């Protein structure tokens, strides 16, 4: 069934345009703007160009999804197959099925929302020309990763995103951005070198670099030893990008230093490339090798689930000076652990759960990083103790809509039933309860129990974050009043100038000390903050100043993510109906 009947040639053109269009847009962004499109501000003109290009790509992706034959999601559609390097039998082979289509649409959507957000709030840093061009190159590489069906093209697209993300972190990031950018690229490059060797091994020993042919062969052309070596080499490179514990240490630094848009794309899109490679390449092409390493992959996955949750709990506790962006990054380690656990089960249930969790994580964590970026813009910091401590009623009292959205994203991330985060985790645990034939059931049921315990830890730290950031630490103002003098007298007031709220000294009302106490709210160097007047005779902390609540451009960028999180939670069959037939075909060696 297709919603709109689109001819195969138009579908081919749409997929090719989706992959190449952002690259052409990146080149155009670096060229001088035509006279009629310069506008009043050249920076705004190039940012508008980014919104236009990503918007057109998103429309093309939606039309492609509408024209997709949903009755046959296991069949490669919109395919293009052109010989590129005949000597190596490398072909420009593009196509989509039920596994790659949701990731393609998710990438186009998140990149458009990031471009829209950046148009109204450009990141602080060098020229927006380079920023827009890098974002478009990043989009092109990511879309190509999900659309190509040749091993060497997959590797080129996989590597294409590294340089743009490196510069986005290094040039537009925050503190420690250079160290974080270098750590990101060194980890991923080293993993990619090993992955290339594995891809070459599979292609040369299998007689083809075509992913569809390798999946149909289902490992019959590769000996078990070749499959084991290939899974070890390719899996190592994919595990770095996922990231799998203990190869994850680049991720918290990269997220903490990256600009808001960089964090959204890194969590929402780039992490999915690693898990997609496991499903698209290793599961169908090297099943015996995957079966050998599946218990180890599952063990690393559940350790990552628990480790990520414990790290988040440590960052969330009072006095830890935890960074909220860093906490969300560690939560990604745990969530991607569920994806790896589902893949390791090698069952349709587990792999479908992994693919569902992939999409859910992209929606929810992308929204979380948008929200944390907005909170940081308003407060000037993402430090949890600062956000929860000196703010009184915190977000619920100062920016209620922003606080409600942060609470919504947090409960979606912890896997509340009815929202997108629930189904992926549940299906993954069901898959671990009954793994594929040849895998140890007691071991995987132990992994299932550990993963279920990880969901409780996830709920614990997310609820702590909501309580502290959205409600604030109400006990803190009481500690600011000195306990030594229960009732301060007028005589003692002049001798204690360090008290935060002076009861109005009777000596000189017009001398310089008076203005010196009034600028005490030196905390509001935050944009959009309205200062609350201090009451001269109050003995408690002054009321927290109001913050600018959700702005129209923020609502435009965040509403689609909220709506899709609810839709995927209430109607999971929309996504599972696409992925399940394709997964069944991959796991059965090309037989639907």
């Amino acid at each position: 069934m297709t919603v709109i009947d689109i001819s195969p040639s138009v579908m081919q053109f749409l997929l090719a345009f989706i992959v190449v269009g952002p690259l052409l847009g990146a080149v155009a962004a670096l060229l001088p703007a035509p006279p009629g499109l310069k506008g009043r501000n050249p920076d705004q003109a190039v940012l508008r160009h980014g919104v236009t290009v990503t918007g057109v790509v998103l429309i093309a992706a939606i039309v492609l999804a509408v024209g997709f034959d949903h009755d046959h999601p296991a069949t490669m559609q919109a395919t293009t197959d052109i010989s590129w390097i005949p000597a190596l039998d490398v072909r420009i082979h593009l196509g989509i099925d039920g596994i790659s289509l949701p990731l393609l649409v998710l990438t186009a959507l998140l990149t458009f929302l990031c471009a829209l957000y950046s148009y109204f709030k450009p990141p602080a840093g060098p020229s927006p020309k380079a920023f827009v061009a890098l974002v478009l190159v990043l989009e092109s590489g990511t879309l190509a990763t999900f659309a190509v069906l040749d091993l060497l093209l997959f590797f080129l697209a996989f590597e294409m995103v590294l340089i743009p993300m490196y510069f986005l972190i290094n040039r537009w990031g925050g503190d420690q951005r250079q160290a974080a950018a270098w750590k990101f690229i060194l980890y991923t490059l080293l993993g990619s070198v090993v992955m290339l060797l594995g891809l070459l091994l599979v292609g040369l020993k299998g007689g083809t670099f075509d992913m569809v042919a390798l999946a149909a062969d289902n490992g019959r052309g590769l000996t078990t030893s070749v499959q084991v070596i290939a899974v070890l080499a390719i899996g190592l490179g994919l595990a770095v990008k996922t990231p799998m514990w203990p190869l994850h240490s680049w991720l918290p630094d990269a997220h903490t230093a990256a600009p808001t848009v960089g964090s959204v794309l890194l969590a929402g899109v780039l992490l999915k490339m690693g898990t997609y490679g496991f499903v698209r390449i290793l599961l169908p092409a090297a099943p015996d090798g995957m079966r050998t390493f599946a218990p180890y992959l599952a063990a690393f996955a559940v350790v990552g689930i628990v480790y990520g949750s414990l790290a988040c709990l440590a960052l969330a506790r009072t006095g830890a000076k935890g960074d909220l962006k860093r906490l969300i990054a560690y939560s990604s380690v745990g969530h991607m652990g569920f994806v790896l656990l589902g893949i390791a089960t090698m069952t349709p249930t587990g792999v479908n759960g992994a693919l569902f969790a992939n999409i859910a994580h992209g929606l929810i964590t992308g929204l979380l990083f948008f929200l944390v970026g907005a909170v940081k813009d308003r407060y000037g910091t993402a430090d949890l103790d600062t956000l929860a401590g000196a703010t009184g009623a915190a977000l619920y009292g100062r920016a209620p809509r922003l606080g409600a959205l942060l609470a919504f994203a947090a409960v979606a991330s912890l896997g509340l039933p009815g929202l997108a985060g629930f189904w992926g985790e549940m299906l993954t645990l069901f898959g671990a309860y009954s793994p594929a034939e040849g895998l140890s059931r007691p071991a995987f049921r132990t992994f299932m129990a550990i993963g279920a315990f990880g969901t409780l830890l996830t709920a614990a730290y997310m609820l702590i974050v909501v309580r502290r950031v959205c409600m604030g630490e109400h006990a803190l103002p009481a500690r600011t009043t000195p306990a030594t003098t229960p009732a301060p007298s007028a005589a003692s007031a002049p001798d204690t100038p360090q008290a935060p709220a002076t009861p109005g000294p009777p000596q000189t009302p017009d001398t310089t000390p008076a203005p010196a106490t009034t600028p005490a709210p030196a905390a509001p160097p935050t944009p959009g903050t309205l200062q609350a007047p201090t009451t001269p005779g109050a003995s408690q902390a002054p009321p927290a100043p109001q913050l600018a609540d959700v702005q129209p451009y923020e609502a435009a960028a965040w509403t689609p993510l909220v709506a899709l999180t609810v839709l995927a939670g209430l109607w999971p069959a929309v996504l599972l109906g696409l992925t399940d037939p394709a997964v069944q075909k991959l796991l059965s060696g090309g037989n639907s």
Side-chain angles (χ1 to χ4, degrees):
M1 178 200 64
T2 56
V3 180
I4 297 178
D5 193 13
I6 301 177
S7 69
S9 58
V10 174
M11 293 284 283
Q12 287 178 355
F13 170 78
L14 283 173
L15 184 58
F17 172 76
I18 288 169
V19 172
V20 179
L23 207 55
L24 299 176
V27 174
L30 297 175
L31 299 175
L37 298 177
K38 282 184 178 177
R40 295 184 228 171
N41 186 340
D43 290 347
Q44 288 296 103
V46 73
L47 291 169
R48 184 170 62 245
H49 169 78
V51 176
T52 304
V53 173
T54 55
V56 171
V57 171
L58 175 60
I59 292 171
I62 293 173
V63 174
L64 188 71
V66 168
F68 187 82
D69 185 359
H70 292 259
D71 285 337
H72 302 91
T75 304
M76 283 294 170
Q77 302 180 34
T79 55
T80 300
D81 193 0
I82 304 170
S83 178
W84 183 34
I85 308 176
L88 296 176
D89 193 28
V90 178
R91 310 182 67 82
I92 299 177
H93 192 181
L94 305 177
I96 53 167
D97 62 357
I99 293 173
S100 52
L101 179 63
L103 291 167
L104 206 74
V105 176
L106 175 69
T107 301
L109 173 65
L110 283 177
T111 313
F112 169 71
L113 296 180
C114 286
L116 181 66
Y117 185 85
S118 300
Y119 176 76
F120 291 97
K121 188 162 188 59
S127 162
K129 268 194 172 190
F131 175 81
V132 170
L134 289 170
V135 169
L136 291 174
V137 172
L138 183 72
E139 180 184 28
S140 180
T142 311
L143 291 169
T145 302
F146 299 136
V148 298
L149 297 172
D150 184 274
L151 290 181
L152 293 185
L153 277 183
F154 175 85
F155 176 77
L156 293 177
F158 197 85
E159 297 305 292
M160 185 176 166
V161 304
L162 298 186
I163 301 303
M165 182 53 70
Y166 167 80
F167 281 110
L168 285 175
I169 297 172
N170 196 14
R171 303 300 299 276
W172 286 270
D175 297 336
Q176 306 295 322
R177 60 181 182 269
Q178 291 185 349
W182 275 110
K183 197 171 185 179
F184 161 75
I185 201 164
L186 286 176
Y187 262 80
T188 48
L189 274 178
L190 289 174
S192 298
V193 169
V194 182
M195 184 177 75
L196 176 60
L197 297 176
L199 293 173
L200 290 173
L201 177 65
V202 170
L204 295 174
K205 292 292 185 180
T208 179
F209 289 98
D210 188 85
M211 294 185 193
V212 177
L214 289 168
D217 186 63
N218 201 224
R220 286 182 286 270
L222 302 173
T223 64
T224 301
S225 59
V226 169
Q227 291 189 37
V228 168
I229 296 171
V231 170
L232 182 61
I234 299 172
L236 192 62
L238 297 174
V240 171
K241 186 64 73 75
T242 298
M244 180 186 77
W245 181 92
L247 304 173
H248 70 283
S249 59
W250 62 269
L251 183 71
D253 292 340
H255 270 309
T256 306
T260 297
V261 167
S263 292
V264 171
L265 293 176
L266 182 58
V269 174
L270 264 67
L271 302 190
K272 313 301 172 283
M273 295 164 62
T275 52
Y276 174 78
F278 276 104
V279 175
R280 175 65 71 198
I281 300 172
L282 292 183
L283 276 178
D288 294 336
M290 276 297 294
R291 197 169 286 107
T292 301
F293 281 104
Y296 304 102
L297 181 63
F300 283 126
V302 296
V303 170
I305 292 170
V306 176
Y307 171 83
S309 299
L310 291 177
C312 291
L313 281 172
L315 289 170
R317 64 185 173 85
T318 305
K321 292 290 180 184
D323 188 282
L324 190 52
K325 285 186 74 176
R326 196 173 189 85
L327 185 146
I328 304 301
Y330 272 110
S331 77
S332 292
V333 176
H335 289 305
M336 298 312 290
F338 279 103
V339 178
L340 290 173
L341 177 61
I343 294 170
T345 65
M346 299 184 68
T347 62
T349 302
V351 176
N352 276 303
L355 294 172
F356 199 104
N358 246 351
I359 301 297
H361 179 265
L363 296 172
I364 297 168
T365 308
L367 177 61
L368 273 171
F369 275 116
F370 267 134
L371 294 169
V372 173
V375 170
K376 188 173 182 179
D377 289 338
R378 286 158 171 78
Y379 283 92
T381 181
D383 178 72
L384 268 169
D385 288 335
T386 304
L387 296 178
T391 58
L395 282 182
Y396 282 162
R398 304 179 67 186
R401 286 188 289 275
L402 183 60
L405 280 172
L406 183 61
F408 168 83
V411 298
S413 182
L414 64 85
L416 185 74
L419 298 176
F422 171 73
W423 295 105
E425 294 181 3
M426 186 194 72
L427 290 172
T428 294
L429 295 176
F430 279 174
Y433 182 80
S434 182
E437 201 174 326
L439 298 178
S440 169
R441 282 199 171 191
F444 271 83
R445 288 181 181 180
T446 303
F447 299 147
M448 181 200 73
I450 297 172
F453 176 67
T455 63
L456 300 179
L457 295 178
T458 304
Y461 70 74
M462 278 300 179
L463 293 176
I464 289 173
V465 167
V466 170
R467 178 183 62 79
R468 296 193 68 205
V469 177
C470 294
M471 303 176 187
E473 302 283 9
H474 296 288
L476 197 68
R479 288 191 215 121
T480 59
T481 57
T484 51
T485 54
S489 63
S492 62
D495 297 328
T496 56
Q498 65 265 43
T502 52
Q507 301 165 324
T508 54
D510 289 337
T511 52
T512 43
T517 52
T518 322
T526 50
T529 304
L530 300 176
Q531 171 124 9
T534 55
T535 310
S539 60
Q540 291 183 341
Q546 202 74 10
L547 291 176
D549 214 334
V550 177
Q551 301 298 303
Y553 72 92
E554 293 173 328
W558 303 341
T559 300
L561 300 179
V562 174
L564 289 173
T565 299
V566 175
L567 177 65
L570 296 178
W571 197 9
V574 173
L575 186 55
L576 292 174
L578 284 172
T579 62
D580 185 53
V583 168
Q584 298 273 5
K585 183 177 180 179
L586 277 182
L587 294 178
S588 62
N591 302 313
S592 300

